[in-house]
Amino acid sequence: MNLKRGGGRIGRLQYWTGEYALRGVAVVTAIVLVVLFYYPVGTVLANGLFGSVEGTNPVLAVLGSEFYLGAASGLTDPSAVPGGVLDWMRAGFPAVDFGLVGFTVYQALLSTLASLALGLPGASLLAHYDFPGRETVRSLTMLPFVLPSIMVAIGFVAMFGDQGVLNSFLGWLGLESVSVMYTLQLVVLAHAFYNAPLVTRIVGAAWAGLDRSKIETARGLGAGPIRAFVDVTLPQLGPAILAGALLTFLFTFMSFPIVLALGGLELATVEVWLYARVQQLELAQAAGLAVVETVITLSLTYAALRYESGQRGLGRGPNRKPLIGSLRDPRRLGLLAYGLVVGIVFLGPILSMVVESLTGPGGPTLEHYAFLLERQATGASYQVKPLPAIRNSLMFGLAALGIAVPMGVTVAVLEDSRIPGSRLLGTLLMAPLAVSGIVLGLGLLQGLVFGTELFGHRITVTGPVAIVAAHAVAAYPFVTRTVSPMLQQVDHRLVETARVLGASRGRARFDVELPLVLPGIVAGAALAYAISVGEFDSTIILAEGSSSYTMPVAVERYLGNRTLGPATAMGTVLLGVTAISFVVIDRVGGWWEP
Amino acid sequence: MKRRTFVKRVGAAGIAGLAGCAGPDADSRGTTTGTSGGTDELAGTLRVATYEPFVDAPSVSPGAWIKEAFESAYPDATIEWQTPNSGLNHFIQQAQYDDEIEADVYVGLNADDLVRADDELGETELFEPLSADTLSNGDSLIEELRFDPAGRAVPFDTGYISLVYDAGEIDEPQTFADLIEPAFEDTLLLQNAQTSDPGRAFLLWTIANRGEANFLDYWQALMDNGARIAGDWNAAYTAYSNAERPAVVSYSTDQVYAHRNDVDMQRHQIAFLDDQGYAVPEGMARFADAAKPELATAFLDFMLEPRTQSEIAVRNVAFPATTTADPPESFTEYAHRPPETVTHTYDQLAGSIDDWVSAWAEQIASG
């Protein structure tokens, strides 16, 4: 089918690239990527590929290590494999251990399933039901994304700990308490907290653009609602679900602060290990592990892009029914149960943080907010103040959004063009998603912050401009992933009709194609903004002196010995400021919707 | 690493374009330190690098007081605090990547930091050795806290790792052996020795207590008894505060905080296992390439003055490093000293610590 469409696709690329603006954006995209991504990450990976750990190649050292790969580590010596398999059979097929990497994959799979299970009903809810504040709820789905992991960990302990709110509630109901602290379940739940909203958002945007007429046709031809869902709706949502699952898998595969804070070292992931190696400055070892990690995440990205093929036809989405109504509808009962789960998993930890910010050793207090005011009024130049943090976060977020949206859309168009090698290129352009924050941070430090000697000059890149560029690089793939599936669904006949009727290329795109993919662009823009606001690692690495800190940096800095108060107060400010800005972004995007 | 000193000198002479051509390495330090020019040696900006809570934590941070007191003692000098995110690693890497080190003094070194720096930098000296008589207050240092055989790092305070437990929940754990008994099942919270200072100190303590050959077995028993390892001190202590577990690895100064906040002392009992506490002295040192070496030395001396030492004890909630300090009663009454202190020397750590920590981490992560 792709082959048949091939000619048209190439035609479309010419049609897109016919515009200089697009070319310009592409060139800028390339420059920013090379300077702030490929060069720094490349230096780290090259260190892994060509460096040495005690006389061995770092990558081979990882691949041959039973600790990292368990049973699979034997694969570096193919001649030993048959014997190893025989031994395993003789031992009576014991459970095979795939080491740290294997555990990381397992953990990420569970986290992805949990995120889908929690996120998809939300997408369906937003697509099918109308209720007061629906738009606001949709805007706020991104909120968990910006919360610093340390706050989430604090909230989760308060909510799900053995002495937590959930257990008090269960005790009050006369039910047995649950003990999930320091278990895989809690880590998976926390990962779902971060990623289910992402699934909701990406799938929700696709659902809103679903071709309703096809479902109606199927129903008209006698298909039951389930049949119509499986045969018509699901295939149309497929690319978006896959995109959400891919992002979740990548994030949870590369997760580290949540694992450290909630799981403990027993549940260590590859990224936890990488972080420890970097802290010990065992950089060659870290680089070897980074290469293995990046190969896994990049091939996954490639595979997902390969299967993220779109279906044609963009419509107006399902008719929305009012949510408030008779409870005799079993679906409404299901939604009620879902609402309860959302309340516990999402609102619980967030509310715990807010409550913590209003509580002192002696009961309710505003002293933590008073601390913020006092720090603002009297803080020294080397201390972090709240207002500059808020201002920087908002400015960096907007600037990153302004760069990431054109970049992301450009890459989506390129992916859609299906020129030979475009998938490989697409994978490379999606690499910022697939490269861990620690690897990028290490590369930025080595390649840019400490500087590179070039023609006798030391080139260093730091400061606000670098931070914004780094945020944009981290964020644009989200724009691409939300726009690309929709772009693939655009009915080309509409564009062609417009052209036949005399519209210029730009005109046809602006009037026909843009409105059709706008929900995706808005969803992507909000994501890009959220990435920027929540970003911590490269911000703190690239921040020059103390002038470029953001809200999450302030949260971390306000964590004191034995007091969470000021940090949770700053976390609550972060929550409020970003909540307002998400609503604004969605509303502004909504005005442009036809 | 030899190239770095070369590049810096050549660069200063304005012919940095030739930096790639290696030249004979000469120790440039003698020339840079002695020639601070015609300006007053005790004037100007002193760049002091430290870890960020030292200047920016809401609860305790001595930074602001130190800056103010030092600047009034040296009216022509200004302290500029620097808090790079990666701490000492920032400067080790700057040295590795031929970047100029933009600090004069580092405050907050541990013995294992120093081992790592020396391990990474080989011949290059990141810090300047200070001869014994350089600091006029050097005589008052508590000798057993000195941890740098090369005399670069000068201790300025020390903490003692101990257990903090809730006496309302459990009996006092008195020995390491107690912790692996059923009575203490599911009671203990620890920190990751790869990434957390107290976590690492506790690991080193078990090695000192159980011996290099047996500590991994001990840890297996500890984990089998339901001990849990959090990422860092904050996470572990937060969980402890939320009554998730009744015992946590922390510092023996815990009650100083508890007293300040009028918290139930039952919940802040200190346990010294086997009557020991693991000493973690914190040191400070002058960078070899310090632009203001005399001012830096004056600062180190100032940090050891009795008044400063007393203030650091209160504001950093750690024991003074000198015999002349006289912290107020609010500190001395609640800060507990272990009957016996344990620690590893620089030489014991050098060459071993990486292997110990790696073996430990692999065992824990492999479950």
Side-chain angles (χ1 to χ4, degrees):
Chain A
M1 190 170 142
N2 277 345
L3 277 179
K4 262 190 250 168
R5 294 207 311 228
R9 292 279 172 183
I10 291 172
R12 289 192 66 214
L13 178 69
Q14 288 163 349
Y15 149 95
W16 278 103
T17 49
E19 288 168 71
Y20 292 109
L22 202 72
R23 278 191 199 164
V25 174
V27 169
V28 173
T29 302
I31 293 172
V32 171
L33 278 177
V34 167
V35 174
L36 274 143
F37 184 76
Y38 291 113
Y39 169 69
V41 170
T43 54
V44 175
L45 298 186
N47 193 5
L49 288 170
F50 309 113
S52 144
V53 178
E54 287 158 14
T56 323
N57 178 284
V59 177
L60 290 181
V62 171
L63 293 180
S65 147
E66 204 167 328
F67 170 72
Y68 285 128
L69 285 170
S73 63
L75 295 176
T76 43
D77 178 15
S79 60
V81 170
V85 172
L86 272 179
D87 287 344
W88 177 63
M89 287 164 73
R90 275 194 216 108
F93 304 100
V96 183
D97 173 30
F98 287 106
L100 190 69
V101 173
F103 175 77
T104 308
V105 172
Y106 173 66
Q107 171 278 125
L109 270 176
L110 290 182
S111 300
T112 305
L113 290 177
S115 305
L116 288 177
L118 268 177
L120 288 178
S124 166
L125 174 79
L126 289 176
H128 288 109
Y129 292 92
D130 233 339
F131 51 91
R134 179 185 166 280
E135 284 306 307
T136 309
V137 167
R138 190 172 67 103
S139 308
L140 296 183
T141 49
M142 279 331 292
L143 216 42
F145 225 62
V146 297
L147 283 178
S149 56
I150 182 75
M151 290 289 112
V152 174
I154 289 166
F156 263 66
V157 173
M159 190 67 203
F160 298 103
D162 291 0
Q163 313 294 325
V165 176
L166 181 66
N167 275 330
S168 312
F169 182 65
L170 291 176
W172 180 73
L173 288 179
L175 296 171
E176 227 169 281
S177 61
V178 290
S179 181
V180 289
M181 281 299 286
Y182 315 110
T183 62
L184 186 56
Q185 287 94 309
L186 193 64
V187 170
V188 166
L189 199 63
H191 283 166
F193 173 87
Y194 271 116
N195 293 294
L198 190 67
V199 172
T200 298
R201 189 158 193 97
I202 291 180
V203 177
W207 219 318
L210 213 61
D211 191 347
R212 188 199 307 158
S213 62
K214 282 190 181 170
I215 304 168
E216 280 159 4
T217 310
R219 293 298 305 276
L221 290 172
I226 295 172
R227 182 71 194 244
F229 177 78
V230 171
D231 285 356
V232 182
T233 309
L234 210 52
Q236 288 192 69
L237 291 181
I241 294 176
L242 200 65
L246 165 77
L247 288 177
T248 305
F249 188 90
L250 286 176
F251 280 157
T252 52
F253 186 86
M254 298 185 295
S255 166
F256 117 88
I258 279 293
V259 175
L260 267 184
L262 291 176
L265 189 59
E266 300 94 307
L267 301 175
T269 58
V270 170
E271 192 83 345
V272 169
W273 222 255
L274 199 54
Y275 176 66
R277 295 278 81 77
V278 172
Q279 280 220 317
Q280 290 313 301
L281 291 178
E282 289 163 359
L283 299 185
Q285 280 188 33
L289 195 53
V291 170
V292 173
E293 188 189 36
T294 309
V295 166
I296 294 173
T297 48
L298 266 187
S299 21
L300 222 108
T301 312
Y302 179 80
L305 291 182
R306 177 120 182 59
Y307 291 106
E308 192 194 87
S309 64
Q311 301 276 322
R312 291 208 171 196
L314 252 172
R316 308 287 327 120
N319 271 330
R320 293 199 192 105
K321 288 165 276 190
L323 180 68
I324 318 290
S326 162
L327 276 179
R328 257 181 292 173
D329 183 354
R331 266 188 297 186
R332 286 213 174 81
L333 279 178
L335 285 172
L336 204 66
Y338 177 70
L340 195 68
V341 173
V342 166
I344 293 171
V345 176
F346 293 97
L347 295 182
I350 293 178
L351 284 179
S352 301
M353 185 191 82
V354 176
V355 169
E356 182 80 47
S357 77
L358 292 165
T359 321
T365 175
L366 286 173
E367 64 175 302
H368 307 314
Y369 292 92
F371 165 83
L372 294 186
L373 291 178
E374 192 198 315
R375 177 54 69 90
Q376 180 59 38
T378 63
S381 62
Y382 51 86
Q383 292 178 322
V384 163
K385 295 187 200 180
L387 274 186
I390 295 172
R391 192 188 56 225
N392 286 342
S393 274
L394 294 177
M395 299 295 285
F396 293 168
L398 282 177
L401 185 154
I403 301 172
V405 169
M407 274 174 85
V409 173
T410 307
V411 175
V413 169
L414 185 76
E415 273 184 8
D416 190 45
S417 69
R418 302 268 166 94
I419 49 168
S422 72
R423 194 166 284 135
L424 196 65
L425 190 64
T427 308
L428 281 179
L429 288 171
M430 283 302 104
L433 276 182
V435 169
S436 85
I438 290 170
V439 174
L440 178 61
L442 188 60
L444 288 173
L445 210 56
Q446 293 179 354
L448 299 180
V449 174
F450 294 139
T452 305
E453 206 79 39
L454 207 63
F455 306 118
H457 295 281
R458 179 163 285 279
I459 312 287
T460 56
V461 182
T462 51
V465 175
I467 292 174
V468 167
H471 287 187
V473 167
Y476 83 83
F478 287 85
V479 179
T480 306
R481 291 274 60 76
T482 45
V483 172
S484 189
M486 299 192 129
L487 204 56
Q488 289 173 30
Q489 288 174 13
V490 170
D491 191 337
H492 294 181
R493 284 167 301 187
L494 290 176
V495 184
E496 280 153 22
T497 310
R499 294 279 285 136
V500 168
L501 291 174
S504 70
R505 280 171 186 160
R507 182 94 207 171
R509 176 175 326 144
F510 200 80
D511 285 354
V512 179
E513 221 155 5
L514 189 66
L516 286 174
V517 298
L518 199 70
I521 295 180
V522 174
L527 274 166
Y529 183 79
I531 299 281
S532 171
V533 172
E535 213 285 333
F536 181 78
D537 292 356
S538 49
T539 309
I540 202 158
I541 288 172
L542 291 169
E544 211 170 39
S546 56
S547 58
S548 321
Y549 49 82
T550 58
M551 288 192 281
V553 173
V555 170
E556 295 267 348
R557 294 245 158 163
Y558 289 159
L559 265 184
N561 255 334
R562 293 163 175 82
T563 166
L564 299 171
T568 47
M570 190 65 215
T572 307
V573 170
L574 162 71
L575 204 65
V577 170
T578 43
I580 294 168
S581 41
F582 285 148
V583 173
V584 169
I585 288 178
D586 264 6
R587 288 290 150 85
V588 168
W591 285 332
W592 287 338
E593 267 184 86
Chain B
M1 286 319 106
K2 288 175 182 168
R3 202 165 68 94
R4 182 175 65 93
T5 34
F6 177 74
V7 169
K8 283 192 64 162
R9 283 189 303 144
V10 174
I15 45 168
L18 298 173
C21 327
D25 178 61
D27 189 355
S28 62
R29 246 182 286 122
T31 52
T32 47
T33 43
T35 55
S36 28
T39 55
D40 185 356
E41 284 162 349
L42 294 176
T45 302
L46 182 72
R47 301 159 305 171
V48 185
T50 185
Y51 54 97
E52 142 252 310
F54 198 79
V55 297
D56 202 9
S59 47
V60 283
S61 58
W65 184 89
I66 290 172
K67 179 175 157 73
E68 201 176 311
F70 182 77
E71 286 171 359
S72 60
Y74 295 88
D76 296 328
T78 312
I79 285 185
E80 185 188 291
W81 290 112
Q82 296 186 345
T83 52
N85 184 40
S86 49
L88 185 65
N89 281 356
H90 178 80
F91 298 103
I92 298 174
Q93 286 185 292
Q94 274 197 324
Q96 282 178 323
Y97 288 89
D98 299 345
D99 201 3
E100 192 184 343
I101 290 182
E102 292 169 331
D104 301 299
V105 175
Y106 192 89
V107 171
L109 282 172
N110 290 339
D112 49 297
D113 287 333
L114 212 50
V115 166
R116 190 171 65 250
D118 290 344
D119 200 31
E120 291 294 327
L121 295 175
E123 292 295 298
T124 308
E125 285 285 6
L126 188 61
F127 296 116
E128 183 98 14
L130 297 163
S131 59
D133 53 356
T134 311
L135 304 176
S136 57
N137 293 311
D139 296 341
S140 61
L141 274 171
I142 299 169
E143 220 28 60
E144 65 167 39
L145 293 180
R146 288 186 185 270
F147 57 86
D148 180 10
R152 296 157 297 179
V154 180
F156 67 89
D157 71 8
T158 185
Y160 297 99
I161 298 294
S162 63
L163 294 191
V164 171
Y165 71 100
D166 183 346
E169 290 287 320
I170 52 171
D171 292 336
E172 179 180 358
Q174 292 182 332
T175 64
F176 275 98
D178 280 352
L179 293 180
I180 54 177
E181 291 296 320
F184 291 95
E185 193 179 349
D186 294 340
T187 52
L188 185 58
L189 277 164
L190 306 144
Q191 298 90 12
N192 188 341
Q194 290 175 305
T195 48
S196 143
D197 283 343
R200 176 173 303 227
F202 187 78
L203 169 64
L204 291 172
W205 190 7
T206 61
I207 294 172
N209 190 281
R210 291 282 150 148
E212 212 181 321
N214 301 319
F215 78 96
L216 285 178
D217 293 338
Y218 178 75
W219 274 89
Q220 192 60 53
L222 209 53
M223 300 311 290
D224 289 345
N225 206 31
R228 282 295 164 261
I229 298 171
D232 57 20
W233 181 88
N234 256 321
Y237 200 86
T238 303
Y240 173 77
S241 307
N242 289 341
E244 291 301 327
R245 292 286 169 109
V248 64
V249 168
S250 188
Y251 295 92
S252 67
T253 44
D254 191 74
Q255 290 187 355
V256 178
Y257 293 90
H259 166 69
R260 276 181 200 171
N261 295 317
D262 287 331
V263 168
D264 178 12
M265 278 300 172
Q266 281 284 94
R267 295 212 63 223
H268 293 270
Q269 292 301 303
I270 308 294
F272 292 116
L273 300 173
D274 293 328
D275 285 335
Q276 297 173 343
Y278 192 90
V280 211
E282 273 190 297
M284 53 190 176
R286 191 172 81 188
F287 282 104
D289 293 324
K292 291 273 173 196
E294 288 79 13
L295 195 55
T297 309
F299 176 79
L300 299 184
D301 224 0
F302 164 83
M303 289 284 280
L304 298 181
E305 281 176 16
R307 188 173 71 117
T308 319
Q309 282 286 301
S310 307
E311 280 295 331
I312 289 180
V314 173
R315 291 172 190 270
N316 212 27
V317 199
F319 289 93
T322 59
T323 50
T324 49
D326 184 24
E329 207 174 299
S330 64
F331 178 84
T332 48
E333 192 184 342
Y334 294 102
H336 297 271
R337 253 180 221 282
E340 183 195 337
T341 58
V342 186
T343 200
H344 283 84
T345 64
Y346 176 93
D347 293 320
Q348 287 170 327
L349 293 176
S352 303
I353 187 163
D354 279 357
D355 294 339
W356 289 338
V357 173
S358 301
W360 172 85
E362 290 200 8
Q363 173 169 311
I364 304 286
S366 303

